[in-house]
Amino acid sequence: MEMGVGRDGMSVMCDIFNMPPPCHPNVWKHHVTALYEAHKKAVSGQLQEATDKVFSRHSDNESGVGEIAVSYDGTWSKRVYTANFGIGFVISADTGEVLDYDFESKICRECQIAKKDLGEDSPEFDIWFGGHQEQCTQTHTCSSGSMECSIAKKIWGRANVKPGKLTAQHQKEQISIMQQAKMAVLYHSCELIDDKERHKFCPSGPDSWCSHKREGKFQRKDHHLDAVFLEFLVPEFKRVSHYSLLLRCLPGYSQNVNESLNSLVWNHALKHRFKGPRFIEIAAMSAVLAFNCGAASRQDVMKAANIPGGEFTLEGCKKMKCDKDEALCKEGKVEEKGKKEENQRSQACSKPIERLLADNDSEDSDSEESDDAPLAHFISKRQ
């Protein structure tokens, strides 16, 4: 399951290594059911821990209600209009952990076989379906595109929560702050004669990013714009500061963590190979455990399935954690290096153009500006 291959994939691996084939398909099915129950037990306990953690930070002891900011996103096994399976995840914006999930399927393999053998409209099928209904994996009968909304309704329904939002007055206050911040960027960067006019939108106080408001001093920089640009840029800044646009930006959250979790699901259940609904749901639960707890979470599944872990199991989990930490460290170094190079390019581009017009007959020909001397000499000749 962790490798994203089923019994057929294991058969190929056994053939290559000259090993006996896996167990009979019926026995394999029983093993999958046992692993499904083990994942169910492990993920339910982990989700409860994640919920208790975030609820303890935001709960109101009097009402017993917690105002928790979350992000929700759905993912499909294929393109939306052709997908047979859909999964939805709710992730806390505070802790970054999965708080809940749900899964829906449009197919049931056993129902398909029974309809073919017994006939969909036959009394025998009705009798058979009466005993099979509780185990049926077909939980969605509408369009594939409606799975995301359907899963969201189920999650919010059983959690007994309501999506919250800011009051109208609070929205106006926050949007006004954002509008002022946008205009502060423009006016602060334009060389106006009146400092009071230039810094009227900049935030006040000792923690202000504006040195004029913070210390009463302001140093001119080469990248500051001439005041003539203000006439052309003010309409554009007002356009991007429109109330309706900022209203959509007000929450300030992204779905990057959701997309990361979605990719983790399909690493366990590859999209280009068909997998049954039980396999897809196991992949979703495995992704939740790995996302919240890391590679060590597989030990919880093994414990729930009464499979004892050994020395190599622990070493494998530790190695995966070390590899992940090393990758994150390298990513941080690359990002830091990129920022450093960007700053160097910015400083190089901000050098005044007067350097290019410097006198080529300067006495100090070995100075750092000597590289620009031929160009300056050429410009002076053309003039």
mmCIF file of all heavy atoms in Angstrom, residues 59-92:
data_model
loop_
_atom_site.group_PDB
_atom_site.id
_atom_site.type_symbol
_atom_site.label_atom_id
_atom_site.label_comp_id
_atom_site.label_asym_id
_atom_site.label_seq_id
_atom_site.Cartn_x
_atom_site.Cartn_y
_atom_site.Cartn_z
ATOM 1 N N SER A 59 -10.724 27.641 22.074
ATOM 2 C CA SER A 59 -12.046 27.329 22.611
ATOM 3 C C SER A 59 -12.482 28.371 23.628
ATOM 4 O O SER A 59 -11.671 28.992 24.314
ATOM 5 C CB SER A 59 -12.033 25.944 23.268
ATOM 6 O OG SER A 59 -11.139 25.928 24.361
ATOM 7 N N ASP A 60 -13.774 28.537 23.713
ATOM 8 C CA ASP A 60 -14.392 29.410 24.699
ATOM 9 C C ASP A 60 -14.987 28.518 25.787
ATOM 10 O O ASP A 60 -15.906 27.740 25.536
ATOM 11 C CB ASP A 60 -15.487 30.257 24.040
ATOM 12 C CG ASP A 60 -16.048 31.305 24.996
ATOM 13 O OD1 ASP A 60 -15.764 31.207 26.203
ATOM 14 O OD2 ASP A 60 -16.773 32.198 24.522
ATOM 15 N N ASN A 61 -14.438 28.627 26.994
ATOM 16 C CA ASN A 61 -14.863 27.727 28.068
ATOM 17 C C ASN A 61 -16.339 27.865 28.402
ATOM 18 O O ASN A 61 -16.977 26.915 28.839
ATOM 19 C CB ASN A 61 -14.025 27.993 29.328
ATOM 20 C CG ASN A 61 -12.564 27.637 29.118
ATOM 21 O OD1 ASN A 61 -12.259 26.731 28.354
ATOM 22 N ND2 ASN A 61 -11.670 28.361 29.785
ATOM 23 N N GLU A 62 -16.891 29.057 28.219
ATOM 24 C CA GLU A 62 -18.288 29.268 28.581
ATOM 25 C C GLU A 62 -19.233 28.628 27.568
ATOM 26 O O GLU A 62 -20.170 27.924 27.924
ATOM 27 C CB GLU A 62 -18.569 30.766 28.696
ATOM 28 C CG GLU A 62 -17.781 31.439 29.824
ATOM 29 C CD GLU A 62 -18.101 32.916 29.917
ATOM 30 O OE1 GLU A 62 -18.900 33.395 29.074
ATOM 31 O OE2 GLU A 62 -17.566 33.583 30.818
ATOM 32 N N SER A 63 -18.978 28.867 26.293
ATOM 33 C CA SER A 63 -19.883 28.343 25.268
ATOM 34 C C SER A 63 -19.449 26.992 24.721
ATOM 35 O O SER A 63 -20.246 26.282 24.119
ATOM 36 C CB SER A 63 -19.989 29.346 24.114
ATOM 37 O OG SER A 63 -18.725 29.523 23.499
ATOM 38 N N GLY A 64 -18.180 26.634 24.924
ATOM 39 C CA GLY A 64 -17.683 25.381 24.374
ATOM 40 C C GLY A 64 -17.523 25.404 22.868
ATOM 41 O O GLY A 64 -17.462 24.359 22.229
ATOM 42 N N VAL A 65 -17.459 26.598 22.289
ATOM 43 C CA VAL A 65 -17.327 26.752 20.840
ATOM 44 C C VAL A 65 -15.969 27.360 20.538
ATOM 45 O O VAL A 65 -15.545 28.316 21.195
ATOM 46 C CB VAL A 65 -18.451 27.652 20.276
ATOM 47 C CG1 VAL A 65 -18.259 27.867 18.780
ATOM 48 C CG2 VAL A 65 -19.804 27.036 20.553
ATOM 49 N N GLY A 66 -15.283 26.814 19.564
ATOM 50 C CA GLY A 66 -13.983 27.337 19.170
ATOM 51 C C GLY A 66 -14.033 27.953 17.787
ATOM 52 O O GLY A 66 -14.550 27.339 16.852
ATOM 53 N N GLU A 67 -13.521 29.164 17.655
ATOM 54 C CA GLU A 67 -13.453 29.831 16.352
ATOM 55 C C GLU A 67 -12.111 29.486 15.719
ATOM 56 O O GLU A 67 -11.077 30.045 16.073
ATOM 57 C CB GLU A 67 -13.617 31.339 16.523
ATOM 58 C CG GLU A 67 -14.982 31.743 17.069
ATOM 59 C CD GLU A 67 -15.133 33.245 17.169
ATOM 60 O OE1 GLU A 67 -14.155 33.956 16.839
ATOM 61 O OE2 GLU A 67 -16.208 33.709 17.567
ATOM 62 N N ILE A 68 -12.132 28.559 14.771
ATOM 63 C CA ILE A 68 -10.914 28.008 14.184
ATOM 64 C C ILE A 68 -10.896 28.310 12.690
ATOM 65 O O ILE A 68 -11.857 28.007 11.980
ATOM 66 C CB ILE A 68 -10.839 26.484 14.419
ATOM 67 C CG1 ILE A 68 -10.878 26.174 15.917
ATOM 68 C CG2 ILE A 68 -9.586 25.904 13.792
ATOM 69 C CD1 ILE A 68 -11.030 24.710 16.232
ATOM 70 N N ALA A 69 -9.812 28.897 12.222
ATOM 71 C CA ALA A 69 -9.647 29.172 10.788
ATOM 72 C C ALA A 69 -9.082 27.933 10.107
ATOM 73 O O ALA A 69 -8.089 27.361 10.563
ATOM 74 C CB ALA A 69 -8.717 30.361 10.583
ATOM 75 N N VAL A 70 -9.724 27.509 9.039
ATOM 76 C CA VAL A 70 -9.298 26.305 8.327
ATOM 77 C C VAL A 70 -9.301 26.578 6.825
ATOM 78 O O VAL A 70 -9.910 27.539 6.345
ATOM 79 C CB VAL A 70 -10.228 25.104 8.631
ATOM 80 C CG1 VAL A 70 -10.201 24.760 10.103
ATOM 81 C CG2 VAL A 70 -11.656 25.379 8.164
ATOM 82 N N SER A 71 -8.604 25.729 6.109
ATOM 83 C CA SER A 71 -8.660 25.732 4.645
ATOM 84 C C SER A 71 -9.196 24.381 4.197
ATOM 85 O O SER A 71 -8.867 23.345 4.784
ATOM 86 C CB SER A 71 -7.270 25.979 4.044
ATOM 87 O OG SER A 71 -6.375 24.943 4.400
ATOM 88 N N TYR A 72 -10.012 24.413 3.167
ATOM 89 C CA TYR A 72 -10.618 23.179 2.661
ATOM 90 C C TYR A 72 -10.368 23.086 1.162
ATOM 91 O O TYR A 72 -10.455 24.082 0.438
ATOM 92 C CB TYR A 72 -12.124 23.161 2.928
ATOM 93 C CG TYR A 72 -12.842 22.027 2.227
ATOM 94 C CD1 TYR A 72 -12.779 20.730 2.720
ATOM 95 C CD2 TYR A 72 -13.558 22.251 1.050
ATOM 96 C CE1 TYR A 72 -13.415 19.688 2.070
ATOM 97 C CE2 TYR A 72 -14.202 21.218 0.397
ATOM 98 C CZ TYR A 72 -14.128 19.936 0.910
ATOM 99 O OH TYR A 72 -14.747 18.903 0.257
ATOM 100 N N ASP A 73 -10.057 21.880 0.711
ATOM 101 C CA ASP A 73 -9.845 21.664 -0.715
ATOM 102 C C ASP A 73 -10.156 20.214 -1.041
ATOM 103 O O ASP A 73 -9.996 19.319 -0.197
ATOM 104 C CB ASP A 73 -8.401 21.995 -1.102
ATOM 105 C CG ASP A 73 -8.213 22.012 -2.618
ATOM 106 O OD1 ASP A 73 -9.189 22.318 -3.323
ATOM 107 O OD2 ASP A 73 -7.104 21.708 -3.089
ATOM 108 N N GLY A 74 -10.621 19.999 -2.251
ATOM 109 C CA GLY A 74 -10.924 18.652 -2.713
ATOM 110 C C GLY A 74 -9.987 18.234 -3.825
ATOM 111 O O GLY A 74 -9.405 19.066 -4.527
ATOM 112 N N THR A 75 -9.838 16.944 -4.001
ATOM 113 C CA THR A 75 -8.992 16.411 -5.063
ATOM 114 C C THR A 75 -9.673 15.199 -5.668
ATOM 115 O O THR A 75 -10.422 14.487 -4.986
ATOM 116 C CB THR A 75 -7.595 16.038 -4.523
ATOM 117 O OG1 THR A 75 -6.795 15.521 -5.592
ATOM 118 C CG2 THR A 75 -7.675 14.998 -3.425
ATOM 119 N N TRP A 76 -9.413 14.974 -6.951
ATOM 120 C CA TRP A 76 -10.064 13.898 -7.684
ATOM 121 C C TRP A 76 -9.024 12.964 -8.275
ATOM 122 O O TRP A 76 -7.873 13.348 -8.495
ATOM 123 C CB TRP A 76 -10.929 14.460 -8.817
ATOM 124 C CG TRP A 76 -12.100 15.261 -8.361
ATOM 125 C CD1 TRP A 76 -13.374 14.826 -8.168
ATOM 126 C CD2 TRP A 76 -12.122 16.658 -8.055
ATOM 127 N NE1 TRP A 76 -14.185 15.856 -7.754
ATOM 128 C CE2 TRP A 76 -13.437 16.996 -7.672
ATOM 129 C CE3 TRP A 76 -11.150 17.660 -8.054
ATOM 130 C CZ2 TRP A 76 -13.805 18.277 -7.306
ATOM 131 C CZ3 TRP A 76 -11.511 18.936 -7.685
ATOM 132 C CH2 TRP A 76 -12.830 19.234 -7.318
ATOM 133 N N SER A 77 -9.478 11.751 -8.562
ATOM 134 C CA SER A 77 -8.571 10.758 -9.134
ATOM 135 C C SER A 77 -8.262 11.052 -10.596
ATOM 136 O O SER A 77 -7.235 10.617 -11.117
ATOM 137 C CB SER A 77 -9.176 9.356 -9.013
ATOM 138 O OG SER A 77 -10.465 9.313 -9.612
ATOM 139 N N LYS A 78 -9.154 11.767 -11.277
ATOM 140 C CA LYS A 78 -8.945 12.165 -12.667
ATOM 141 C C LYS A 78 -9.482 13.569 -12.832
ATOM 142 O O LYS A 78 -9.755 14.257 -11.849
ATOM 143 C CB LYS A 78 -9.666 11.206 -13.626
ATOM 144 C CG LYS A 78 -9.060 9.810 -13.708
ATOM 145 C CD LYS A 78 -9.791 8.985 -14.753
ATOM 146 C CE LYS A 78 -9.195 7.592 -14.879
ATOM 147 N NZ LYS A 78 -9.909 6.789 -15.907
ATOM 148 N N ARG A 79 -9.636 13.986 -14.083
ATOM 149 C CA ARG A 79 -10.284 15.269 -14.323
ATOM 150 C C ARG A 79 -11.674 15.247 -13.705
ATOM 151 O O ARG A 79 -12.327 14.202 -13.664
ATOM 152 C CB ARG A 79 -10.384 15.552 -15.825
ATOM 153 C CG ARG A 79 -9.038 15.779 -16.486
ATOM 154 C CD ARG A 79 -9.223 16.125 -17.952
ATOM 155 N NE ARG A 79 -7.951 16.305 -18.627
ATOM 156 C CZ ARG A 79 -7.286 17.447 -18.671
ATOM 157 N NH1 ARG A 79 -7.798 18.509 -18.085
ATOM 158 N NH2 ARG A 79 -6.136 17.530 -19.296
ATOM 159 N N VAL A 80 -12.111 16.412 -13.251
ATOM 160 C CA VAL A 80 -13.308 16.486 -12.422
ATOM 161 C C VAL A 80 -14.500 15.776 -13.042
ATOM 162 O O VAL A 80 -15.212 15.029 -12.384
ATOM 163 C CB VAL A 80 -13.657 17.965 -12.146
ATOM 164 C CG1 VAL A 80 -14.922 18.052 -11.309
ATOM 165 C CG2 VAL A 80 -12.507 18.649 -11.425
ATOM 166 N N TYR A 81 -14.734 15.979 -14.336
ATOM 167 C CA TYR A 81 -15.963 15.463 -14.936
ATOM 168 C C TYR A 81 -15.890 13.973 -15.257
ATOM 169 O O TYR A 81 -16.877 13.383 -15.690
ATOM 170 C CB TYR A 81 -16.304 16.246 -16.209
ATOM 171 C CG TYR A 81 -15.169 16.364 -17.199
ATOM 172 C CD1 TYR A 81 -14.919 15.363 -18.125
ATOM 173 C CD2 TYR A 81 -14.354 17.487 -17.209
ATOM 174 C CE1 TYR A 81 -13.885 15.467 -19.026
ATOM 175 C CE2 TYR A 81 -13.314 17.605 -18.115
ATOM 176 C CZ TYR A 81 -13.088 16.596 -19.020
ATOM 177 O OH TYR A 81 -12.054 16.705 -19.912
ATOM 178 N N THR A 82 -14.733 13.331 -15.086
ATOM 179 C CA THR A 82 -14.620 11.894 -15.343
ATOM 180 C C THR A 82 -14.188 11.113 -14.113
ATOM 181 O O THR A 82 -14.050 9.897 -14.182
ATOM 182 C CB THR A 82 -13.600 11.628 -16.463
ATOM 183 O OG1 THR A 82 -12.316 12.128 -16.065
ATOM 184 C CG2 THR A 82 -14.023 12.302 -17.756
ATOM 185 N N ALA A 83 -13.969 11.771 -12.992
ATOM 186 C CA ALA A 83 -13.430 11.104 -11.807
ATOM 187 C C ALA A 83 -14.488 10.230 -11.150
ATOM 188 O O ALA A 83 -15.664 10.584 -11.069
ATOM 189 C CB ALA A 83 -12.910 12.136 -10.815
ATOM 190 N N ASN A 84 -14.044 9.078 -10.671
ATOM 191 C CA ASN A 84 -14.919 8.189 -9.905
ATOM 192 C C ASN A 84 -14.728 8.347 -8.403
ATOM 193 O O ASN A 84 -15.568 7.890 -7.628
ATOM 194 C CB ASN A 84 -14.650 6.728 -10.284
ATOM 195 C CG ASN A 84 -15.137 6.392 -11.678
ATOM 196 O OD1 ASN A 84 -16.198 6.846 -12.100
ATOM 197 N ND2 ASN A 84 -14.361 5.596 -12.405
ATOM 198 N N PHE A 85 -13.619 8.975 -7.993
ATOM 199 C CA PHE A 85 -13.322 9.117 -6.571
ATOM 200 C C PHE A 85 -12.966 10.566 -6.260
ATOM 201 O O PHE A 85 -12.310 11.241 -7.058
ATOM 202 C CB PHE A 85 -12.151 8.213 -6.159
ATOM 203 C CG PHE A 85 -12.295 6.792 -6.625
ATOM 204 C CD1 PHE A 85 -11.453 6.278 -7.600
ATOM 205 C CD2 PHE A 85 -13.281 5.971 -6.108
ATOM 206 C CE1 PHE A 85 -11.580 4.978 -8.045
ATOM 207 C CE2 PHE A 85 -13.426 4.672 -6.544
ATOM 208 C CZ PHE A 85 -12.574 4.168 -7.516
ATOM 209 N N GLY A 86 -13.386 11.018 -5.101
ATOM 210 C CA GLY A 86 -13.066 12.369 -4.645
ATOM 211 C C GLY A 86 -12.752 12.369 -3.162
ATOM 212 O O GLY A 86 -13.331 11.596 -2.387
ATOM 213 N N ILE A 87 -11.815 13.229 -2.763
ATOM 214 C CA ILE A 87 -11.392 13.331 -1.364
ATOM 215 C C ILE A 87 -11.369 14.801 -0.977
ATOM 216 O O ILE A 87 -10.980 15.656 -1.782
ATOM 217 C CB ILE A 87 -9.996 12.716 -1.144
ATOM 218 C CG1 ILE A 87 -9.896 11.339 -1.795
ATOM 219 C CG2 ILE A 87 -9.675 12.601 0.344
ATOM 220 C CD1 ILE A 87 -8.489 10.792 -1.856
ATOM 221 N N GLY A 88 -11.774 15.104 0.235
ATOM 222 C CA GLY A 88 -11.724 16.467 0.753
ATOM 223 C C GLY A 88 -11.015 16.509 2.088
ATOM 224 O O GLY A 88 -11.213 15.624 2.932
ATOM 225 N N PHE A 89 -10.172 17.521 2.289
ATOM 226 C CA PHE A 89 -9.402 17.655 3.525
ATOM 227 C C PHE A 89 -9.646 19.025 4.140
ATOM 228 O O PHE A 89 -9.715 20.033 3.436
ATOM 229 C CB PHE A 89 -7.900 17.495 3.262
ATOM 230 C CG PHE A 89 -7.507 16.152 2.725
ATOM 231 C CD1 PHE A 89 -7.249 15.983 1.371
ATOM 232 C CD2 PHE A 89 -7.391 15.058 3.561
ATOM 233 C CE1 PHE A 89 -6.877 14.758 0.866
ATOM 234 C CE2 PHE A 89 -7.024 13.821 3.063
ATOM 235 C CZ PHE A 89 -6.768 13.665 1.717
ATOM 236 N N VAL A 90 -9.727 19.053 5.462
ATOM 237 C CA VAL A 90 -9.807 20.295 6.224
ATOM 238 C C VAL A 90 -8.517 20.426 7.021
ATOM 239 O O VAL A 90 -8.173 19.538 7.807
ATOM 240 C CB VAL A 90 -11.018 20.306 7.175
ATOM 241 C CG1 VAL A 90 -10.986 21.540 8.066
ATOM 242 C CG2 VAL A 90 -12.310 20.279 6.379
ATOM 243 N N ILE A 91 -7.789 21.528 6.812
ATOM 244 C CA ILE A 91 -6.495 21.744 7.460
ATOM 245 C C ILE A 91 -6.568 23.010 8.301
ATOM 246 O O ILE A 91 -7.084 24.039 7.854
ATOM 247 C CB ILE A 91 -5.365 21.860 6.419
ATOM 248 C CG1 ILE A 91 -5.279 20.570 5.596
ATOM 249 C CG2 ILE A 91 -4.029 22.141 7.087
ATOM 250 C CD1 ILE A 91 -4.199 20.598 4.537
ATOM 251 N N SER A 92 -6.048 22.934 9.499
ATOM 252 C CA SER A 92 -6.029 24.093 10.388
ATOM 253 C C SER A 92 -5.037 25.127 9.879
ATOM 254 O O SER A 92 -3.889 24.799 9.553
ATOM 255 C CB SER A 92 -5.649 23.661 11.810
ATOM 256 O OG SER A 92 -5.376 24.784 12.620
#
